[in-house]
Amino acid sequence: MKYTVSIEIARPLEQVAQMLADPAQMPGWLRGLVLHEPLTGVHGQVGTESRVVFNSGGQQFECTETITRREPADLHRIPSDMVVRFEREIVAKGMWNAARERLTEAGPEATLWVSENEYRFSGLMMRLVGLLMPGSFRKQSQQHMQDFKAYAEDGTDVREAKG
């Protein structure tokens, strides 16, 4: 299964890239994040493997994330015409996901975030989930992007959300 989602954020490219790459800010916008800890390497750097734990609907979900691309490596003084790329692979029981994130300047104070996602499922349960609920994966990606936009633009923290 493959899909692409995008959102425009009313913040400069460099600021958006730095916020997305900062592990200290992740809990503020990544809904359900319980833990994101590097097992090898340095957070956000190519080759780094991290253990990631989410809580969703009272269920804990654990996966391993491997950073496969980050360009540029230094997120300071990014030229306005540059495309910032973050790519990662996520592996969990019965699931493999590749996420390719692109950030481009959409104006002096705006950034376009495009996220291409590919999922592969193994095992009967995960194949059924992928077959019967493919829209839920897209919806979750869009929710993460909307949460990041609210966090970046207005400081809205998902941990303080009601409901």
Side-chain angles (χ1 to χ4, degrees), residues 6 27 65 76 115 121 145:
S6 63
E65 173 192 72
H76 296 88
S115 180
F121 303 104
M145 292 175 112

Side-chain angles (χ1 to χ4, degrees), residues 20-21 36 42-50 64-72 75 83-90 96-103 113-118:
L20 277 173
H36 193 291
V42 176
H43 179 87
Q45 299 301 313
V46 173
T48 299
E49 279 190 19
S50 298
T64 301
E65 173 192 72
T66 303
I67 303 301
T68 56
R69 184 176 185 183
R70 176 176 162 168
E71 294 173 7
L75 299 175
V83 177
V84 176
R85 298 178 190 275
F86 294 108
E87 297 183 9
R88 64 192 181 281
E89 290 185 1
I90 298 171
W96 172 89
N97 164 243
R100 298 167 190 93
E101 318 292 343
R102 287 189 325 267
L103 304 173
W113 177 9
V114 177
S115 180
E116 296 175 13
N117 291 268
E118 177 181 353

Side-chain angles (χ1 to χ4, degrees), residues 6-75:
S6 63
I7 197 165
E8 189 170 303
I9 301 156
R11 289 285 179 254
L13 174 63
E14 186 172 303
Q15 183 181 359
V16 170
Q18 289 173 1
M19 287 181 78
L20 277 173
D22 184 355
Q25 297 198 45
M26 290 174 118
W29 64 269
L30 197 50
R31 193 177 298 260
L33 181 66
V34 174
L35 177 74
H36 193 291
E37 65 177 356
L39 300 172
T40 63
V42 176
H43 179 87
Q45 299 301 313
V46 173
T48 299
E49 279 190 19
S50 298
R51 176 175 169 240
V52 184
V53 179
F54 285 97
N55 190 356
S56 179
Q59 298 282 333
Q60 271 208 344
F61 173 77
E62 185 171 329
C63 58
T64 301
E65 173 192 72
T66 303
I67 303 301
T68 56
R69 184 176 185 183
R70 176 176 162 168
E71 294 173 7
D74 182 359
L75 299 175

